[in-house]
Amino acid sequence: MNAQPFFLDHLWLIPLFPLATAAVMLFCGRRLSNNIVSWLCSGSVFLSFIFSVGAFFQLIAKPSGERIATKVLFEWIPAGTYHLLDGRIAKFIADWGFQIDPLSCVMILIVTGVGFLIHIYSTGYMAHEGGYYRFFGYLNLFMFSMLMLVLANNLLLLFVGWEGVGTCSYLLIGFYFHKKSASDAGKKAFIVNRVGDAGFLLGIFLTSALLGTIRFVEIGPALAAGGFAIGDPRITAIALLFFVGATGKSAQIPLYVWLPDAMEGPTPVSALIHAATMVTAGVYMVTRTNAIYQLSPKAMGVVALTGAVTALFAASMGVVQNDIKKVLAYSTVSQLGYMFLACGVGAFTAGIFHLMTHAFFKGLLFLAAGSVIHAVSGEQDMRKMGALSTKIPVTYWTMLIAALAIAGIFPFAGFISKDLILGKAYEKDALLWAIGYFTAGMTAFYMFRLIFMTFHGASRVDHEVEHPIHESPKSMLVPLVILAVLSVVGGWLSWPEIFGGNSHFIHFLSTVVAVPHEARMEPVKGPSSAHGELFLMMLSEGLVILGILFAWLLYVKRTDLPNKIAHSFGGFYRLVYNKYYVDQLYDALFVNRAKDLGLALGAFDRRVIDGVGVNGAGWLARAISKLSMWWDTWIVDGSVRLGARIVWIFSYPVRLIQDGLVQSYMLLIVIGLIGFFGYYLYMAHHAIH
């Protein structure tokens, strides 16, 4: 067998570089200067990016059907043989191994490329913050975990990276641990994700028990060999359990509630979590296991419907938020819904394509928001901004490009990936398309509401921070410009065929979407002609433009209207503004009930465990001790004293003669001899007579 090319044979170095610098930071980073920390941590991620680019070029040099390479370092968990659910015997082996194919190749390029830009940005944004080395240590540990997740060649090793990004999100969201809101947000993210992770872990166990393998390259053949019918309930159970994990990690209903609160972390953390790492893990995992989902139309229906409803639900909350980062947070939840909508209708490659373009424009939106916050001395309320376009022009123009991209304006990146998803949704179900269609209009509205409130109109900036407003340093602006370019041209990697393109990106990923046997997918319906596709694009573009114009009317032309509209809607506006009271509902149903259970268990512990068990045992020991003392005092000691008194009485005469005087003893001897001889004479006389 021929040896792999260098980069494909050294895949393990890609996650190793950031892990090494993370270890340096966390063990001895306190002794290093900020410049050394910046060079080490950013440089290690850049090395990972270089190796990822090298692996990409060596991968595409292979024939289309052979674009896969694996590198197994060692057998991690060889657990022996076991019986499958159908009675067959299998051998469980989990490798510590890496796999690269078109899907993982795209992911490592996104993670390392966007991650490197966020590292550069962070050197400026965090320059005056405490714990600089600790921040970069956590950031690089996050990069390592995500790279492990996307390069793992089996489900169990993927789960290691999956848990790693969850742990790092806790550390980074709660980075400002002196703030209660930040520490609470970190704990919330950690706990909510554990709920999803429980489902994912059960899915891994069931996969192993049913298919006899957890290696990705073996799942498809195992499904084909098992002869599973479409809709097999066991396959559906695995798919739904996996999706439970995905809803937690990628913030879908009902486990989305942690993501908006994650804004308590530093802005670069928000950009990394939302754009390049953690929240994309669920979409990646569903796409990676697409062979399982294609056997379960019910599970795919759940994925599609959950994604569509989440997209609309989150967009409605983004419309009324005033915190600039919270708007972007709900936007992320909504865009992730689009990605799951794509996966649910069978357009897995379209979902990953939107994941890539989203990484560009959402990373840019968060970093630009951080630049705005930096300019206005930490203010995040858009009601206290306005008229910033001329004061921070680079930030303004780059953020405007990102807003155009996420809104879906032609020919920006978001237009191509979003309309590809909507087209596939229409072919599958008109209702799903309608939900995605109206969500697109809402997205355009709330994004340009953000643009107009932040950069246009009259200045509402507090006087004490108005004069120091200035543009961010170059270390923060250069990543903005690069991401702005990618937000424009990123979608061109799969230029639609209707416009003369070849959809290169989609074709590149097509080999990872395996259909084990014929007629696996249901037939599509709807207009498949070029005219029908163009009509849907124009319909979507028209609604997007209307959304932008409506935002301009409310927040530039007639600034009095928003309050009037909010007042006219009354209770419904308050419902949406308060995020449908979902957090309060979860508190009432789960958090407070868990507290009540804790209090009840505490009372049980005090009254039963401590009161009856521990304290009862102590009381019994004391009672036995007192009884023993009583017995010893009154019975044993009393008996001893009584015996002593009897002995004293009977020994009294003896003690009278035992006075220690020699003459007394001589007298007693003489008396004894007289008595002895007298008794002897008496007995002799008696014997004679």
Side-chain angles (χ1 to χ4, degrees):
M1 182 177 180
N2 294 330
Q4 294 281 5
F6 176 79
F7 292 109
L8 296 181
D9 195 46
H10 291 80
L11 293 174
W12 54 276
L13 288 174
I14 296 176
L16 182 64
F17 292 134
L19 176 63
T21 47
V24 171
M25 292 304 107
L26 299 178
F27 282 109
C28 57
R30 185 188 296 271
R31 303 175 183 176
L32 304 176
S33 67
N34 285 3
N35 284 335
I36 294 177
V37 170
S38 301
W39 277 101
L40 286 176
C41 293
S42 301
S44 65
V45 177
F46 183 68
L47 280 175
S48 294
F49 175 68
I50 294 297
F51 270 66
S52 299
V53 171
F56 167 73
F57 281 110
Q58 291 180 351
L59 189 71
I60 62 173
K62 293 188 171 189
S64 178
E66 300 177 11
R67 288 174 179 166
I68 185 170
T70 58
K71 179 67 176 180
V72 177
L73 298 185
F74 54 88
E75 282 190 358
W76 177 31
I77 304 177
T81 58
Y82 63 103
H83 290 276
L84 302 183
L85 294 179
D86 60 4
R88 291 178 296 154
I89 296 178
K91 185 177 181 180
F92 183 89
I93 295 176
D95 303 319
W96 194 276
F98 302 93
Q99 171 182 318
I100 190 168
D101 57 12
L103 177 58
S104 55
C105 191
V106 168
M107 292 301 297
I108 60 175
L109 288 172
I110 294 171
V111 173
T112 57
V114 177
F116 173 66
L117 294 176
I118 292 172
H119 272 69
I120 297 301
Y121 178 94
S122 300
T123 61
Y125 190 89
M126 301 294 292
H128 304 292
E129 295 280 356
Y132 189 84
Y133 74 94
R134 180 167 53 90
F135 173 82
F136 275 93
Y138 293 162
L139 213 60
N140 277 34
L141 191 60
F142 205 157
M143 295 291 293
F144 160 75
S145 299
M146 189 64 191
L147 290 169
M148 285 294 299
L149 190 155
V150 299
L151 283 173
N153 75 339
N154 63 80
L155 282 165
L156 202 57
L157 187 58
L158 182 149
F159 190 74
V160 171
W162 187 276
E163 290 300 287
V165 294
T167 302
C168 293
S169 69
Y170 165 75
L171 296 172
L172 287 167
I173 293 169
F175 180 76
Y176 299 126
F177 55 85
H178 55 279
K179 290 173 55 180
K180 187 177 186 302
S181 58
S183 60
D184 287 347
K187 288 183 284 188
K188 185 175 184 179
F190 190 80
I191 292 170
V192 171
N193 272 275
R194 297 295 76 72
V195 175
D197 294 351
F200 185 28
L201 199 56
L202 290 174
I204 295 174
F205 294 154
L206 186 54
T207 301
S208 176
L210 185 63
L211 302 181
T213 183
I214 56 173
R215 293 191 181 109
F216 296 127
V217 295
E218 296 175 356
I219 287 178
L223 289 169
F228 297 99
I230 296 175
D232 188 302
R234 297 168 296 178
I235 298 296
T236 299
I238 292 174
L240 291 177
L241 286 170
F242 281 172
F243 187 58
V244 169
T247 58
K249 199 66 71 184
S250 294
Q252 298 294 284
I253 291 175
L255 300 179
Y256 71 92
V257 291
W258 68 270
L259 193 56
D261 289 359
M263 298 302 98
E264 291 290 341
T267 300
V269 172
S270 303
L272 191 63
I273 290 176
H274 287 243
T277 55
M278 182 172 174
V279 297
T280 63
V283 180
Y284 167 79
M285 183 267 291
V286 170
T287 304
R288 173 60 74 192
T289 56
N290 69 86
I292 292 174
Y293 282 90
Q294 290 185 53
L295 275 174
S296 177
K298 290 182 179 179
M300 291 188 69
V302 170
V303 172
L305 185 60
T306 301
V309 172
T310 301
L312 182 63
F313 184 68
S316 68
M317 290 183 280
V319 166
V320 298
Q321 294 298 310
N322 295 313
D323 186 309
I324 189 171
K325 289 175 67 176
K326 287 288 181 71
V327 174
L328 299 180
Y330 284 108
S331 169
T332 298
V333 177
S334 182
Q335 295 301 307
L336 289 165
Y338 269 115
M339 298 174 206
F340 282 111
L341 171 61
C343 293
V345 298
F348 296 98
T349 53
I352 295 298
F353 185 40
H354 193 59
L355 184 154
M356 183 191 72
T357 60
H358 178 264
F360 299 150
F361 55 69
K362 183 52 61 68
L364 174 55
L365 284 169
F366 269 108
L367 297 186
S371 183
V372 171
I373 295 168
H374 179 268
V376 293
S377 303
E379 183 60 65
Q380 294 184 200
D381 193 335
M382 296 185 298
R383 293 171 296 185
K384 297 182 179 181
M385 298 180 187
L388 295 176
S389 61
T390 57
K391 299 176 182 177
I392 46 175
V394 177
T395 300
Y396 167 66
W397 285 107
T398 54
M399 196 168 197
L400 178 62
I401 289 172
L404 291 168
I406 193 174
I409 293 295
F410 180 85
F412 293 87
F415 165 81
I416 300 172
S417 58
K418 177 202 62 156
D419 273 65
L420 182 60
I421 293 173
L422 290 179
K424 296 296 183 182
Y426 188 85
E427 293 176 351
K428 197 71 174 177
D429 191 307
L431 177 61
L432 294 175
W433 171 84
I435 296 174
Y437 173 73
F438 285 109
T439 300
M442 295 173 68
T443 302
F445 172 78
Y446 68 67
M447 284 311 308
F448 276 85
R449 172 180 178 265
L450 181 152
I451 293 294
F452 294 140
M453 288 184 71
T454 303
F455 296 102
H456 294 273
S459 175
R460 301 176 300 279
V461 180
D462 292 338
H463 293 295
E464 58 268 21
V465 300
E466 189 168 10
H467 294 294
I469 292 177
H470 59 280
E471 191 62 275
S472 299
K474 289 183 179 179
S475 60
M476 295 171 63
L477 295 181
V478 170
L480 297 185
V481 174
I482 295 173
L483 287 172
V485 173
L486 293 172
S487 297
V488 177
V489 305
W492 300 359
L493 293 174
S494 196
W495 191 253
E497 295 179 5
I498 191 174
F499 296 132
N502 293 315
S503 298
H504 292 296
F505 185 89
I506 300 300
H507 294 314
F508 176 64
L509 283 179
S510 61
T511 56
V512 302
V513 182
V515 182
H517 56 72
E518 295 180 1
R520 183 58 46 94
M521 298 297 294
E522 296 178 0
V524 298
K525 55 182 178 294
S528 57
S529 66
H531 293 293
E533 185 179 350
L534 185 61
F535 173 74
L536 291 178
M537 286 185 178
M538 293 177 62
L539 200 61
S540 175
E541 196 74 349
L543 184 63
V544 165
I545 293 173
L546 284 176
I548 295 173
L549 291 176
F550 189 48
W552 173 81
L553 174 65
L554 295 185
Y555 296 98
V556 176
K557 188 69 174 176
R558 292 286 306 277
T559 55
D560 61 312
L561 285 179
N563 288 332
K564 292 181 180 179
I565 294 174
H567 181 73
S568 64
F569 276 92
F572 180 72
Y573 174 81
R574 288 192 296 273
L575 177 67
V576 180
Y577 182 77
N578 288 286
K579 299 167 286 188
Y580 298 96
Y581 298 99
V582 173
D583 284 304
Q584 292 86 337
L585 178 64
Y586 283 5
D587 283 346
L589 292 178
F590 304 112
V591 178
N592 293 336
R593 300 294 73 79
K595 291 179 180 177
D596 292 342
L597 179 61
L599 293 174
L601 290 175
F604 179 80
D605 184 65
R606 290 191 303 273
R607 296 174 184 176
V608 179
I609 303 300
D610 286 347
V612 176
V614 178
N615 296 336
W619 177 87
L620 182 62
R622 288 194 299 271
I624 293 173
S625 175
K626 289 182 179 179
L627 181 62
S628 175
M629 291 175 62
W630 180 85
W631 176 269
D632 186 63
T633 302
W634 293 100
I635 304 301
V636 177
D637 288 354
S639 299
V640 171
R641 287 194 298 271
L642 179 61
R645 188 170 297 274
I646 293 173
V647 170
W648 183 86
I649 292 172
F650 284 101
S651 64
Y652 183 76
V654 177
R655 287 187 290 110
L656 289 177
I657 61 176
Q658 293 293 327
D659 57 2
L661 299 175
V662 176
Q663 55 267 33
S664 298
Y665 296 157
M666 292 300 296
L667 176 62
L668 290 175
I669 292 171
V670 171
I671 293 172
L673 289 174
I674 292 172
F676 174 76
F677 284 115
Y679 176 75
Y680 178 78
L681 292 174
Y682 170 76
M683 292 299 296
H685 174 74
H686 182 72
I688 293 173
H689 292 286

